[in-house]
Amino acid sequence: MTKIEKIVLSYSGGLDTSIILKWLQETYGCEVVTFTADLGQGEELEPARANAEMVGVKDIRIVDLREEFVSDFVFPMLRANALYEGQYLLGSSIARPLIAKHLVGIAREVGANAVAHGATGKGNDQIRFELAVNALDPSIKVIAPWRQWNIRSRMQLLEYAEKHHIPVPSDKRGEAPFSIDANLLHTSTEGKILENPAEVAPDHAYQRTVDPVDAPDTPEIVTIGFDWGDPISVNGKSMTPAALLTELNGLGGRHGIGRLDLVENRFIGMKSRGIYETPGGTILLTAHRGIESITLDRAAAHLKDEIMPRYAELIYNGFWFAPEREMLQALIDHSQAFVSGEVTLRLYKGSASVISRASPCSLYSADLVTFEESTIAFDHHDAEGFIRLNGLRLRSWVARNGR
Ligand code: ARG
Protein backbone atom coordinates (compact mmCIF):
# COMPACT_ATOMS: atom_id res chain seq x y z
CA MET A 1 0.00 0.00 0.00
CA THR A 2 1.34 3.40 -0.98
CA LYS A 3 1.27 5.97 1.75
CA ILE A 4 -1.20 8.79 1.10
CA GLU A 5 0.77 12.01 1.44
CA LYS A 6 -1.69 14.65 0.36
CA ILE A 7 -5.26 14.52 -0.99
CA VAL A 8 -7.21 16.83 -3.30
CA LEU A 9 -10.93 16.57 -2.53
CA SER A 10 -13.73 17.49 -4.90
CA TYR A 11 -15.61 19.65 -2.41
CA SER A 12 -19.04 21.22 -2.76
CA GLY A 13 -18.97 22.83 0.66
CA GLY A 14 -22.19 21.05 1.60
CA LEU A 15 -22.77 18.72 4.53
CA ASP A 16 -21.80 15.42 2.89
CA THR A 17 -18.49 16.57 1.48
CA SER A 18 -17.70 18.47 4.70
CA ILE A 19 -18.03 15.18 6.57
CA ILE A 20 -15.85 13.52 3.94
CA LEU A 21 -13.26 16.26 4.40
CA LYS A 22 -13.11 15.68 8.15
CA TRP A 23 -13.04 11.91 7.68
CA LEU A 24 -10.12 12.13 5.25
CA GLN A 25 -8.11 14.29 7.66
CA GLU A 26 -8.77 11.84 10.50
CA THR A 27 -8.26 8.64 8.53
CA TYR A 28 -5.14 9.58 6.59
CA GLY A 29 -3.67 12.19 8.93
CA CYS A 30 -2.45 14.22 5.98
CA GLU A 31 -3.16 17.56 4.37
CA VAL A 32 -6.37 17.81 2.35
CA VAL A 33 -6.68 20.46 -0.37
CA THR A 34 -10.25 21.32 -1.37
CA PHE A 35 -11.33 21.97 -4.93
CA THR A 36 -14.71 23.55 -5.57
CA ALA A 37 -15.72 24.01 -9.19
CA ASP A 38 -18.18 26.61 -10.36
CA LEU A 39 -20.05 24.80 -13.12
CA GLY A 40 -22.97 27.18 -12.97
CA GLN A 41 -24.80 25.16 -10.32
CA GLY A 42 -26.29 28.45 -9.16
CA GLU A 43 -25.17 28.08 -5.56
CA GLU A 44 -23.09 30.44 -3.51
CA LEU A 45 -19.53 29.09 -3.50
CA GLU A 46 -18.07 31.27 -0.77
CA PRO A 47 -19.60 29.10 2.01
CA ALA A 48 -17.31 26.37 0.70
CA ARG A 49 -14.34 28.53 1.66
CA ALA A 50 -15.70 29.28 5.14
CA ASN A 51 -16.56 25.63 5.77
CA ALA A 52 -13.16 24.40 4.62
CA GLU A 53 -11.37 27.01 6.73
CA MET A 54 -13.35 25.88 9.74
CA VAL A 55 -11.78 22.42 9.62
CA GLY A 56 -8.33 23.86 9.07
CA VAL A 57 -7.88 23.53 5.30
CA LYS A 58 -5.04 25.79 4.22
CA ASP A 59 -5.18 25.35 0.45
CA ILE A 60 -8.71 26.12 -0.76
CA ARG A 61 -9.36 26.25 -4.51
CA ILE A 62 -12.55 27.73 -5.89
CA VAL A 63 -12.42 27.85 -9.66
CA ASP A 64 -14.88 29.18 -12.22
CA LEU A 65 -15.05 26.47 -14.88
CA ARG A 66 -18.22 27.60 -16.62
CA GLU A 67 -16.66 28.60 -19.93
CA GLU A 68 -14.45 25.54 -20.13
CA PHE A 69 -17.38 23.30 -19.24
CA VAL A 70 -19.57 24.62 -22.02
CA SER A 71 -16.96 25.14 -24.76
CA ASP A 72 -14.85 21.99 -24.26
CA PHE A 73 -17.41 19.50 -22.97
CA VAL A 74 -21.05 20.51 -23.57
CA PHE A 75 -20.64 21.90 -27.11
CA PRO A 76 -18.55 18.98 -28.46
CA MET A 77 -21.23 16.64 -27.08
CA LEU A 78 -24.04 18.69 -28.64
CA ARG A 79 -22.33 18.45 -32.04
CA ALA A 80 -23.19 14.75 -31.84
CA ASN A 81 -26.82 15.39 -30.78
CA ALA A 82 -25.99 13.00 -27.95
CA LEU A 83 -28.84 11.43 -25.99
CA TYR A 84 -28.53 8.43 -23.67
CA GLU A 85 -31.30 5.87 -24.09
CA GLY A 86 -32.99 8.21 -26.54
CA GLN A 87 -33.77 10.94 -24.02
CA TYR A 88 -31.16 11.96 -21.45
CA LEU A 89 -28.94 14.92 -22.40
CA LEU A 90 -26.12 13.69 -20.13
CA GLY A 91 -25.86 16.77 -17.93
CA SER A 92 -24.18 15.01 -14.98
CA SER A 93 -22.16 12.59 -17.10
CA ILE A 94 -20.40 15.34 -19.05
CA ALA A 95 -19.39 17.33 -15.94
CA ARG A 96 -17.44 14.52 -14.27
CA PRO A 97 -14.47 14.30 -16.67
CA LEU A 98 -13.97 18.07 -16.35
CA ILE A 99 -13.92 17.90 -12.54
CA ALA A 100 -11.55 14.91 -12.69
CA LYS A 101 -9.26 16.79 -15.07
CA HIS A 102 -8.91 19.65 -12.59
CA LEU A 103 -8.53 17.33 -9.60
CA VAL A 104 -5.60 15.69 -11.37
CA GLY A 105 -4.16 19.07 -12.41
CA ILE A 106 -4.23 20.40 -8.85
CA ALA A 107 -2.87 17.12 -7.44
CA ARG A 108 0.16 17.44 -9.72
CA GLU A 109 0.60 21.09 -8.86
CA VAL A 110 0.53 20.60 -5.09
CA GLY A 111 2.30 17.25 -5.04
CA ALA A 112 -0.69 15.19 -3.88
CA ASN A 113 -0.72 11.48 -4.65
CA ALA A 114 -4.47 11.02 -4.16
CA VAL A 115 -7.78 12.60 -5.07
CA ALA A 116 -11.13 12.01 -3.37
CA HIS A 117 -14.78 12.40 -4.34
CA GLY A 118 -18.13 12.19 -2.61
CA ALA A 119 -19.91 9.91 -5.07
CA THR A 120 -21.62 6.86 -3.59
CA GLY A 121 -21.01 3.20 -4.39
CA LYS A 122 -24.25 2.70 -6.28
CA GLY A 123 -24.00 5.43 -8.88
CA ASN A 124 -22.43 6.20 -12.22
CA ASP A 125 -20.49 9.22 -11.01
CA GLN A 126 -17.84 7.23 -9.12
CA ILE A 127 -17.09 5.35 -12.35
CA ARG A 128 -16.84 8.54 -14.38
CA PHE A 129 -14.48 10.23 -11.89
CA GLU A 130 -12.24 7.23 -11.55
CA LEU A 131 -12.03 6.20 -15.20
CA ALA A 132 -11.08 9.80 -16.00
CA VAL A 133 -8.36 9.84 -13.34
CA ASN A 134 -7.11 6.48 -14.66
CA ALA A 135 -6.88 7.88 -18.15
CA LEU A 136 -5.21 11.13 -17.13
CA ASP A 137 -2.72 10.02 -14.49
CA PRO A 138 -2.61 6.38 -13.38
CA SER A 139 -0.13 7.24 -10.61
CA ILE A 140 -2.84 9.09 -8.68
CA LYS A 141 -4.87 7.04 -6.23
CA VAL A 142 -8.60 7.64 -5.88
CA ILE A 143 -10.26 7.63 -2.47
CA ALA A 144 -14.02 7.11 -2.38
CA PRO A 145 -15.06 7.47 1.28
CA TRP A 146 -18.62 6.30 0.62
CA ARG A 147 -17.21 2.89 -0.33
CA GLN A 148 -14.74 2.75 2.54
CA TRP A 149 -16.21 4.05 5.75
CA ASN A 150 -18.84 2.27 7.80
CA ILE A 151 -21.37 5.08 7.70
CA ARG A 152 -24.38 3.32 6.20
CA SER A 153 -27.30 5.65 6.77
CA ARG A 154 -28.25 9.29 6.90
CA MET A 155 -28.62 9.00 10.70
CA GLN A 156 -25.06 7.74 11.11
CA LEU A 157 -23.85 10.55 8.86
CA LEU A 158 -25.51 13.17 11.07
CA GLU A 159 -24.11 11.48 14.20
CA TYR A 160 -20.61 11.69 12.72
CA ALA A 161 -21.16 15.39 12.03
CA GLU A 162 -22.32 16.11 15.59
CA LYS A 163 -19.40 14.20 17.07
CA HIS A 164 -16.92 16.19 15.00
CA HIS A 165 -18.59 19.57 15.48
CA ILE A 166 -19.57 19.95 11.85
CA PRO A 167 -22.59 22.27 11.79
CA VAL A 168 -25.69 20.58 10.36
CA PRO A 169 -28.06 23.08 8.71
CA SER A 170 -31.58 22.72 10.14
CA ASP A 171 -33.05 21.74 6.77
CA LYS A 172 -30.65 18.76 6.66
CA ARG A 173 -31.67 17.38 10.07
CA GLY A 174 -34.85 15.62 9.07
CA GLU A 175 -35.47 13.31 6.20
CA ALA A 176 -32.81 12.91 3.50
CA PRO A 177 -33.26 15.64 0.89
CA PHE A 178 -33.54 14.85 -2.79
CA SER A 179 -30.15 14.04 -4.27
CA ILE A 180 -29.56 16.96 -6.61
CA ASP A 181 -26.79 17.54 -9.11
CA ALA A 182 -26.87 20.87 -10.93
CA ASN A 183 -24.69 22.69 -13.44
CA LEU A 184 -25.12 24.99 -16.45
CA LEU A 185 -26.47 22.15 -18.56
CA HIS A 186 -29.00 20.58 -16.23
CA THR A 187 -30.45 19.82 -12.85
CA SER A 188 -30.84 16.17 -11.94
CA THR A 189 -33.07 15.19 -9.03
CA GLU A 190 -33.18 11.67 -7.62
CA GLY A 191 -34.17 9.89 -4.41
CA LYS A 192 -37.00 10.05 -1.88
CA ILE A 193 -40.47 9.71 -3.39
CA LEU A 194 -38.92 9.56 -6.89
CA GLU A 195 -37.48 6.13 -6.05
CA ASN A 196 -40.91 4.69 -6.71
CA PRO A 197 -41.29 5.02 -10.48
CA ALA A 198 -45.07 4.60 -10.14
CA GLU A 199 -45.31 7.79 -8.06
CA VAL A 200 -45.93 11.01 -9.97
CA ALA A 201 -43.09 13.48 -9.31
CA PRO A 202 -44.26 16.31 -7.06
CA ASP A 203 -44.00 19.81 -8.46
CA HIS A 204 -41.30 20.81 -5.94
CA ALA A 205 -38.96 18.21 -7.47
CA TYR A 206 -38.51 20.66 -10.36
CA GLN A 207 -36.28 23.63 -9.68
CA ARG A 208 -35.39 25.52 -12.84
CA THR A 209 -38.35 25.15 -15.16
CA VAL A 210 -42.00 26.07 -14.74
CA ASP A 211 -44.72 23.52 -15.35
CA PRO A 212 -45.60 23.89 -19.07
CA VAL A 213 -49.21 24.34 -17.97
CA ASP A 214 -48.21 27.54 -16.15
CA ALA A 215 -45.90 28.81 -18.92
CA PRO A 216 -46.83 32.04 -20.76
CA ASP A 217 -49.78 31.85 -23.17
CA THR A 218 -47.84 33.85 -25.74
CA PRO A 219 -45.07 32.03 -27.60
CA GLU A 220 -41.58 33.49 -27.72
CA ILE A 221 -39.45 33.49 -30.85
CA VAL A 222 -35.68 33.02 -30.59
CA THR A 223 -33.00 32.89 -33.27
CA ILE A 224 -29.77 30.99 -32.68
CA GLY A 225 -26.67 31.46 -34.86
CA PHE A 226 -24.29 28.54 -35.49
CA ASP A 227 -20.72 28.38 -36.73
CA TRP A 228 -18.91 25.08 -37.34
CA GLY A 229 -21.63 23.24 -35.43
CA ASP A 230 -21.46 25.41 -32.32
CA PRO A 231 -24.01 28.01 -31.24
CA ILE A 232 -22.49 31.51 -31.23
CA SER A 233 -25.35 33.99 -30.96
CA VAL A 234 -28.87 34.51 -29.64
CA ASN A 235 -31.15 36.93 -31.52
CA GLY A 236 -28.16 38.29 -33.42
CA LYS A 237 -26.10 38.97 -30.30
CA SER A 238 -22.77 37.12 -30.09
CA MET A 239 -22.17 35.42 -26.76
CA THR A 240 -19.53 33.30 -25.07
CA PRO A 241 -20.52 29.64 -24.67
CA ALA A 242 -21.42 29.92 -20.98
CA ALA A 243 -23.30 33.21 -21.43
CA LEU A 244 -25.24 31.72 -24.35
CA LEU A 245 -26.28 28.63 -22.41
CA THR A 246 -27.21 30.78 -19.40
CA GLU A 247 -29.40 32.96 -21.62
CA LEU A 248 -31.18 29.95 -23.15
CA ASN A 249 -31.67 28.37 -19.71
CA GLY A 250 -33.56 31.50 -18.68
CA LEU A 251 -35.73 31.48 -21.80
CA GLY A 252 -36.34 27.74 -21.70
CA GLY A 253 -37.05 27.69 -17.98
CA ARG A 254 -39.76 30.35 -18.36
CA HIS A 255 -41.46 28.29 -21.08
CA GLY A 256 -41.24 24.95 -19.28
CA ILE A 257 -38.84 23.46 -21.80
CA GLY A 258 -36.57 20.46 -21.19
CA ARG A 259 -38.31 18.55 -18.41
CA LEU A 260 -37.76 14.80 -18.39
CA ASP A 261 -38.99 12.12 -16.00
CA LEU A 262 -36.89 9.06 -16.81
CA VAL A 263 -36.14 5.52 -15.70
CA GLU A 264 -32.64 4.79 -16.97
CA ASN A 265 -30.15 1.94 -16.86
CA ARG A 266 -27.11 2.79 -14.77
CA PHE A 267 -23.74 1.41 -15.88
CA ILE A 268 -23.29 -0.15 -12.44
CA GLY A 269 -26.28 -2.39 -13.09
CA MET A 270 -29.52 -1.11 -11.64
CA LYS A 271 -32.37 0.94 -13.02
CA SER A 272 -32.95 4.34 -11.47
CA ARG A 273 -35.61 7.01 -11.81
CA GLY A 274 -34.76 10.67 -11.99
CA ILE A 275 -36.10 14.05 -12.97
CA TYR A 276 -34.02 16.12 -15.38
CA GLU A 277 -34.35 19.74 -16.35
CA THR A 278 -32.26 20.79 -19.34
CA PRO A 279 -33.93 23.94 -20.71
CA GLY A 280 -31.11 25.53 -22.71
CA GLY A 281 -29.68 22.16 -23.79
CA THR A 282 -33.04 21.05 -25.17
CA ILE A 283 -33.37 24.25 -27.20
CA LEU A 284 -29.82 23.81 -28.51
CA LEU A 285 -30.34 20.17 -29.48
CA THR A 286 -33.46 21.05 -31.48
CA ALA A 287 -31.74 24.06 -33.07
CA HIS A 288 -28.61 22.07 -33.93
CA ARG A 289 -30.68 19.40 -35.66
CA GLY A 290 -32.40 22.22 -37.49
CA ILE A 291 -29.19 23.70 -38.88
CA GLU A 292 -27.81 20.24 -39.69
CA SER A 293 -30.96 19.45 -41.66
CA ILE A 294 -29.97 21.93 -44.37
CA THR A 295 -26.17 21.74 -44.15
CA LEU A 296 -25.31 18.04 -43.79
CA ASP A 297 -25.24 15.55 -46.62
CA ARG A 298 -27.75 12.72 -46.16
CA ALA A 299 -25.22 9.93 -45.71
CA ALA A 300 -23.12 12.07 -43.37
CA ALA A 301 -26.18 12.87 -41.25
CA HIS A 302 -27.28 9.24 -41.13
CA LEU A 303 -23.80 8.06 -40.17
CA LYS A 304 -23.80 10.58 -37.31
CA ASP A 305 -27.13 9.22 -36.15
CA GLU A 306 -25.83 5.67 -36.25
CA ILE A 307 -22.83 6.35 -34.07
CA MET A 308 -24.68 8.72 -31.72
CA PRO A 309 -26.05 6.09 -29.29
CA ARG A 310 -22.59 4.55 -29.00
CA TYR A 311 -20.99 7.96 -28.41
CA ALA A 312 -23.65 8.86 -25.80
CA GLU A 313 -23.16 5.56 -24.02
CA LEU A 314 -19.40 6.17 -23.83
CA ILE A 315 -20.03 9.49 -22.11
CA TYR A 316 -22.67 8.00 -19.82
CA ASN A 317 -20.35 5.15 -18.84
CA GLY A 318 -17.42 7.44 -18.08
CA PHE A 319 -15.20 6.90 -21.11
CA TRP A 320 -14.77 10.57 -22.10
CA PHE A 321 -10.98 10.28 -22.06
CA ALA A 322 -10.92 6.95 -23.93
CA PRO A 323 -9.45 6.54 -27.43
CA GLU A 324 -12.74 5.40 -28.98
CA ARG A 325 -14.56 8.51 -27.73
CA GLU A 326 -11.82 10.68 -29.22
CA MET A 327 -12.06 8.80 -32.53
CA LEU A 328 -15.80 9.31 -32.70
CA GLN A 329 -15.33 12.96 -31.71
CA ALA A 330 -12.93 13.46 -34.62
CA LEU A 331 -15.56 12.07 -36.98
CA ILE A 332 -18.30 14.25 -35.49
CA ASP A 333 -16.15 17.40 -35.51
CA HIS A 334 -15.15 16.77 -39.12
CA SER A 335 -18.83 16.63 -40.10
CA GLN A 336 -19.47 20.12 -38.71
CA ALA A 337 -17.35 22.19 -41.11
CA PHE A 338 -20.39 23.57 -42.95
CA VAL A 339 -22.86 23.50 -40.07
CA SER A 340 -23.26 27.26 -39.93
CA GLY A 341 -26.24 29.58 -40.21
CA GLU A 342 -29.31 30.58 -38.26
CA VAL A 343 -32.25 28.69 -36.82
CA THR A 344 -35.40 30.29 -35.47
CA LEU A 345 -37.50 28.48 -32.90
CA ARG A 346 -40.81 29.03 -31.22
CA LEU A 347 -40.86 28.39 -27.47
CA TYR A 348 -44.31 27.60 -26.24
CA LYS A 349 -45.63 25.67 -23.23
CA GLY A 350 -42.87 23.11 -22.92
CA SER A 351 -41.92 22.81 -26.57
CA ALA A 352 -39.14 24.28 -28.66
CA SER A 353 -39.96 23.94 -32.37
CA VAL A 354 -37.90 24.99 -35.34
CA ILE A 355 -39.89 27.40 -37.50
CA SER A 356 -37.16 28.51 -39.92
CA ARG A 357 -33.53 27.83 -40.87
CA ALA A 358 -31.06 29.49 -43.22
CA SER A 359 -27.40 28.98 -44.06
CA PRO A 360 -24.83 30.34 -46.49
CA CYS A 361 -23.64 26.69 -46.78
CA SER A 362 -27.08 25.20 -47.34
CA LEU A 363 -27.44 22.06 -49.47
CA TYR A 364 -31.14 22.70 -49.80
CA SER A 365 -32.22 23.52 -53.33
CA ALA A 366 -35.71 24.90 -53.79
CA ASP A 367 -35.11 24.80 -57.52
CA LEU A 368 -34.41 21.08 -57.35
CA VAL A 369 -37.26 20.06 -55.08
CA THR A 370 -39.94 22.41 -56.40
CA PHE A 371 -43.35 21.25 -57.66
CA GLU A 372 -43.20 24.15 -60.07
CA GLU A 373 -41.28 24.52 -63.33
CA SER A 374 -37.54 24.16 -62.61
CA THR A 375 -34.40 25.38 -64.33
CA ILE A 376 -32.29 22.51 -62.98
CA ALA A 377 -32.08 19.52 -65.30
CA PHE A 378 -33.86 16.65 -63.59
CA ASP A 379 -34.97 13.87 -65.89
CA HIS A 380 -38.11 12.24 -64.50
CA HIS A 381 -37.30 9.12 -66.51
CA ASP A 382 -34.24 8.66 -64.27
CA ALA A 383 -36.60 8.26 -61.30
CA GLU A 384 -38.43 5.52 -63.17
CA GLY A 385 -35.22 3.55 -63.72
CA PHE A 386 -34.11 4.23 -60.16
CA ILE A 387 -37.27 2.68 -58.78
CA ARG A 388 -37.21 -0.21 -61.28
CA LEU A 389 -33.69 -1.21 -60.23
CA ASN A 390 -34.41 -0.82 -56.53
CA GLY A 391 -37.48 -2.97 -56.99
CA LEU A 392 -35.60 -5.71 -58.86
CA ARG A 393 -34.73 -7.76 -55.79
CA LEU A 394 -38.18 -7.23 -54.26
CA ARG A 395 -39.77 -8.66 -57.40
CA SER A 396 -37.47 -11.71 -57.30
CA TRP A 397 -38.18 -12.20 -53.63
CA VAL A 398 -41.95 -12.11 -53.91
CA ALA A 399 -41.83 -14.29 -57.03
CA ARG A 400 -40.15 -17.01 -54.99
CA ASN A 401 -42.21 -16.63 -51.81
CA GLY A 402 -45.55 -15.96 -53.36
CA ARG A 403 -47.77 -13.40 -51.57
N1 ARG B 1 -28.42 9.50 -13.13
C1 ARG B 1 -27.72 10.64 -13.66
C2 ARG B 1 -26.45 10.20 -14.31
O1 ARG B 1 -25.93 9.17 -14.00
C3 ARG B 1 -27.50 11.70 -12.61
C4 ARG B 1 -26.53 11.38 -11.50
C5 ARG B 1 -26.29 12.46 -10.48
N2 ARG B 1 -27.50 13.03 -10.00
C6 ARG B 1 -27.88 13.15 -8.72
N3 ARG B 1 -29.06 13.65 -8.51
N4 ARG B 1 -27.14 12.77 -7.73
O2 ARG B 1 -25.92 10.88 -15.16
Side-chain angles (χ1 to χ4, degrees):
M1 274 257 306
T2 44
K3 181 168 159 24
I4 303 298
E5 278 136 21
K6 205 192 253 195
I7 306 165
V8 184
L9 167 66
S10 174
Y11 182 63
S12 72
L15 180 63
D16 290 27
T17 46
S18 292
I19 293 169
I20 286 173
L21 171 55
K22 186 80 205 171
W23 182 86
L24 290 170
Q25 290 171 329
E26 298 245 307
T27 308
Y28 294 94
C30 70
E31 185 184 346
V32 180
V33 175
T34 59
F35 165 60
T36 306
D38 184 356
L39 296 176
Q41 55 270 50
E43 257 170 34
E44 266 301 323
L45 295 181
E46 278 312 308
R49 182 183 309 281
N51 292 344
E53 271 168 358
M54 210 155 52
V55 285
V57 177
K58 286 195 292 291
D59 195 346
I60 298 167
R61 312 281 176 116
I62 299 178
V63 190
D64 183 350
L65 297 182
R66 286 174 297 174
E67 290 296 348
E68 184 182 4
F69 177 50
V70 182
S71 68
D72 296 357
F73 291 80
V74 176
F75 282 3
M77 181 172 79
L78 277 169
R79 284 174 215 146
N81 304 317
L83 289 174
Y84 179 65
E85 295 187 338
Q87 291 181 278
Y88 170 39
L89 277 121
L90 296 160
S92 292
S93 329
I94 193 63
R96 300 303 175 249
L98 170 63
I99 297 169
K101 175 185 163 198
H102 283 268
L103 280 174
V104 167
I106 296 170
R108 284 177 166 166
E109 185 191 325
V110 303
N113 63 346
V115 297
H117 64 73
T120 67
K122 284 191 175 178
N124 294 313
D125 288 330
Q126 53 176 345
I127 309 174
R128 298 169 182 149
F129 277 126
E130 295 177 38
L131 290 181
V133 174
N134 272 242
L136 294 171
D137 190 340
S139 74
I140 294 177
K141 197 178 144 51
V142 185
I143 303 171
W146 276 108
R147 299 199 303 251
Q148 277 173 245
W149 63 25
N150 36 32
I151 297 175
R152 283 287 166 263
S153 68
R154 192 100 212 138
M155 270 310 285
Q156 289 171 6
L157 193 73
L158 297 182
E159 272 164 36
Y160 186 94
E162 308 261 290
K163 206 168 110 211
H164 293 86
H165 313 290
I166 297 166
V168 179
S170 51
D171 63 325
K172 294 276 165 76
R173 278 181 193 282
E175 244 184 291
F178 283 124
S179 165
I180 293 168
D181 179 52
N183 59 45
L184 261 187
L185 184 54
H186 86 170
T187 300
S188 146
T189 308
E190 296 177 352
K192 274 174 93 171
I193 188 178
L194 301 176
E195 286 179 356
N196 179 352
E199 283 283 354
V200 176
D203 204 52
H204 69 270
Y206 294 92
Q207 21 236 298
R208 64 158 81 170
T209 55
V210 302
D211 187 330
V213 169
D214 303 321
D217 292 324
T218 11
E220 188 157 350
I221 305 299
V222 61
T223 297
I224 300 173
F226 283 88
D227 187 34
W228 279 72
D230 289 341
I232 52 161
S233 66
V234 176
N235 294 329
K237 190 169 165 239
S238 296
M239 291 184 188
T240 64
L244 186 140
L245 187 51
T246 305
E247 171 77 15
L248 294 181
N249 279 336
L251 280 175
R254 279 204 294 288
H255 289 277
I257 290 162
R259 285 185 168 199
L260 173 65
D261 180 331
L262 182 73
V263 174
E264 74 201 43
N265 293 291
R266 287 188 186 162
F267 191 26
I268 199 90
M270 65 281 264
K271 290 187 188 292
S272 73
R273 190 272 193 100
I275 298 300
Y276 296 108
E277 294 165 273
T278 318
T282 301
I283 296 173
L284 285 176
L285 176 71
T286 307
H288 184 252
R289 279 205 172 270
I291 194 66
E292 282 193 334
S293 71
I294 55 169
T295 53
L296 282 189
D297 164 68
R298 177 183 65 188
H302 291 187
L303 179 61
K304 279 191 79 222
D305 278 345
E306 275 176 50
I307 62 153
M308 184 278 278
R310 181 79 187 276
Y311 173 87
E313 185 175 59
L314 287 173
I315 295 175
Y316 187 85
N317 290 353
F319 291 95
W320 177 262
F321 292 114
E324 68 277 27
R325 199 283 303 173
E326 285 168 3
M327 289 165 68
L328 291 177
Q329 192 72 55
L331 183 155
I332 291 155
D333 292 352
H334 184 81
S335 74
Q336 301 293 291
F338 296 98
V339 181
S340 303
E342 285 196 331
V343 177
T344 300
L345 302 100
R346 184 178 50 216
L347 315 181
Y348 181 64
K349 294 212 179 273
S351 74
S353 333
V354 174
I355 54 171
S356 88
R357 54 313 254 161
S359 168
C361 325
S362 181
L363 293 169
Y364 188 93
S365 166
D367 210 14
L368 188 56
V369 77
T370 186
F371 290 105
E372 314 297 330
E373 195 75 42
S374 167
T375 59
I376 293 185
F378 181 88
D379 189 339
H380 286 70
H381 296 296
D382 289 347
E384 205 178 311
F386 177 76
I387 297 163
R388 194 168 29 215
L389 289 181
N390 272 286
L392 180 60
R393 42 176 277 272
L394 300 179
R395 293 192 297 275
S396 310
W397 187 71
V398 76
R400 187 202 60 189
N401 296 0
R403 266 279 174 227

